Amino acid sequence: MSSVAVIDYGMGNLHSIAKALQHIPANPDVTVSDDPKRIMQADRIVLPGVGAIGDCMAALKTTRLDEVVREAAQHKPLLGICIGLQIMLDESEESGTTQCLGIFPGRVSKFPENNVDDNGDKLKIPHMGWNTVTQQHHPLWDNIPDNSRFYFVHSYHARPEQSEHCVGTSCYPYEFSCALAKDNIFAVQFHPEKSQRYGLQLLENFIHWDGQS
Amino acid sequence: MALAKRIIPCLDVDAGRVVKGVRFVDIRDAGDPVEIARRYDREGADELTFLDITASSGNRETMVHVVEQVAGEVFIPLTVGGGIRKLEDIRRMLNAGADKVGINTAAVFDPEFVKQAANRFGSQCIVVAIDAKQISAENQQPAWEIFTHGGRKATGIDAIQWAVKMVEFGAGEILLTSMDRDGTKSGFDLQLTRAISDAVNVPVIASGGVGNLQHLADGVKIGKADAVLAASIFHFGEYSILEAKQFMAEQNIEMRLE
């Protein structure tokens, strides 16, 4: 049986992601842990995160779990979710400037205020709700139709420097990267654990993924 | 393609049971929150809101179990409101699997509570619920006042100023209920919805008064709501969520239909 560890660094609602992983047909052995040893024993690792990125980064460092993430990033299938994606960039403009893990070159920027949609209606911040995701080829999109909707809630978004790292985009109102990947790492801005069947399918794909793109 | 407007069915829960009668012919136990949540999820609900109307605080723990059970089976966002007064209440609901909590009366008594909650848990999970009543006469500049205790107690606070203040304090979303329209089936208070939506930069959920599908569409098109919440039109099987979404999509409102 495949095992997956959800990194618990004290930030955010880990129960949703654990429950979703327990629900999928692959039926993985799910651990929610802050213990580096236990985390590294798992076959694959999920890095979640909600709230302010400055707090998340500080919590990762305090618990020294940033080292675990860096190590996992070398060789294990690793899935970042929401702030778990943003924290993989070089830095974020949230909370002043927050230095992040630098797994993907690039920055995290805020959606500008006062954007409007095609009807001239104000676009609210946070970007909250179900938006379409346009896919680039990657095994984690298997059995998910292109342009399926996923649930988002965020005010900042990633701007990766290398276009080949972007494997999914959404629009609000301009196109932004909402899925990043390289080697054994995949990261999404939306919440697969809250995105009904296609979200669960993505988690299922992650559990079966060998870490090759 | 763009962000979809959301339809959110709302369930009133008393001591762990859904009340105000959900009447689906094909549901075995109309009081079972898990069964009803599953049904709405299958029909395409974009989120679910549970309102805990349990009178005695001794029964609050029941709501935690309801949330745990629903969150283990339904993988869309869950909001829980009713009786959220302390940071500890929020922590328990989030740990049980809720994604957001609705704060109403506690925010009015202690606005700082909203600030503390947003700082501790993030704005994304803090929904401030506002119950508003129109206090201006027909020919006056429209004005609304907020009420607490299910619309029974006036506060003297202007609804628009309050919404702006709550967003400054960290509310990530506003759940706006018109007390004038609630239960009337005559449609949302569109003027109120529009005024609040224009005044704040966070999403606004319109609530109170839905009697037909056009009301839902009007809430978005005229009221500029980002999401619409309704109870009875879905509970009594008058319309399914999918019918509502198709109706709105036909009026060129962006909806999640797959």
Side-chain angles (χ1 to χ4, degrees), chain B residues 15-183:
Chain B
R17 303 281 296 167
V18 175
V19 294
K20 285 199 192 164
V22 174
R23 291 182 214 157
F24 290 130
V25 283
D26 53 345
I27 246 175
R28 278 171 295 141
D29 178 358
D32 179 4
V34 180
E35 196 165 356
I36 296 163
R38 256 194 244 127
R39 158 78 178 236
Y40 283 140
D41 174 47
R42 275 201 307 275
E43 281 186 0
D46 296 310
E47 295 186 20
L48 292 173
T49 290
F50 289 96
L51 187 61
D52 186 6
I53 58 166
T54 309
S56 94
S57 55
N59 278 331
R60 292 256 178 251
E61 204 55 36
T62 321
M63 195 62 203
V64 174
H65 297 308
V66 167
V67 173
E68 271 172 2
Q69 286 178 304
V70 172
E73 298 205 28
V74 171
F75 298 95
I76 56 176
L78 307 176
T79 301
V80 182
I84 303 289
R85 298 181 200 290
K86 303 189 296 280
L87 292 177
E88 174 61 16
D89 298 331
I90 301 175
R91 197 189 62 78
R92 272 164 57 228
M93 286 304 173
L94 296 181
N95 280 347
D99 300 284
K100 314 181 206 179
V101 293
I103 304 174
N104 188 344
T105 305
V108 178
F109 284 137
D110 179 15
E112 291 290 324
F113 174 55
V114 172
K115 214 181 249 179
Q116 291 164 6
N119 282 339
R120 175 70 188 84
F121 303 104
S123 287
Q124 82 290 334
C125 68
I126 305 301
V127 182
V128 169
I130 298 178
D131 293 343
K133 262 187 207 179
Q134 187 155 3
I135 49 164
S136 51
E138 254 333 87
N139 52 356
Q140 285 177 314
Q141 176 81 7
W144 298 267
E145 181 178 332
I146 59 163
F147 282 67
T148 59
H149 297 85
R152 293 191 303 276
K153 286 194 185 169
T155 62
I157 301 169
D158 175 76
I160 296 170
Q161 287 174 11
W162 178 247
V164 170
K165 179 173 174 176
M166 287 296 94
V167 172
E168 278 168 15
F169 276 34
E173 199 172 25
I174 299 287
L175 167 55
L176 176 68
T177 304
S178 161
M179 301 310 294
D180 300 308
R181 299 301 180 91
D182 204 24

Side-chain angles (χ1 to χ4, degrees), chain A residues 13 15 19-20 23 113 121-122 124-125 128-132 149 151 153 193-198, chain B residues 2 4 41 46-47 68 75 77 94-96 98-100 173 197-198 200-202 224 226 254 256 258:
Chain A
N13 186 352
H15 301 263
K19 278 179 166 170
H23 194 80
E113 310 255 326
D121 288 336
K122 180 167 65 172
K124 304 297 184 68
I125 311 236
M128 182 189 286
W130 299 79
N131 208 337
T132 51
R149 289 186 186 274
Y151 190 84
V153 50
E193 75 281 14
K194 288 292 160 182
S195 296
Q196 223 216 11
R197 59 185 164 133
Y198 296 130
Chain B
D41 174 47
D46 296 310
E47 295 186 20
E68 271 172 2
F75 298 95
L94 296 181
N95 280 347
D99 300 284
K100 314 181 206 179
E173 199 172 25
S197 192
D198 282 349
V200 299
N201 207 31
V202 302
K224 304 292 178 192
D226 301 280
E254 191 83 22
R256 177 178 72 110
E258 75 268 12

Side-chain angles (χ1 to χ4, degrees), chain B residues 10 20-21 40 183 185 210-211 230-239:
Chain B
C10 177
K20 285 199 192 164
Y40 283 140
K185 296 199 163 248
V210 176
S232 57
I233 64 158
F234 299 129
H235 297 343
F236 298 144
E238 286 168 61
Y239 306 100

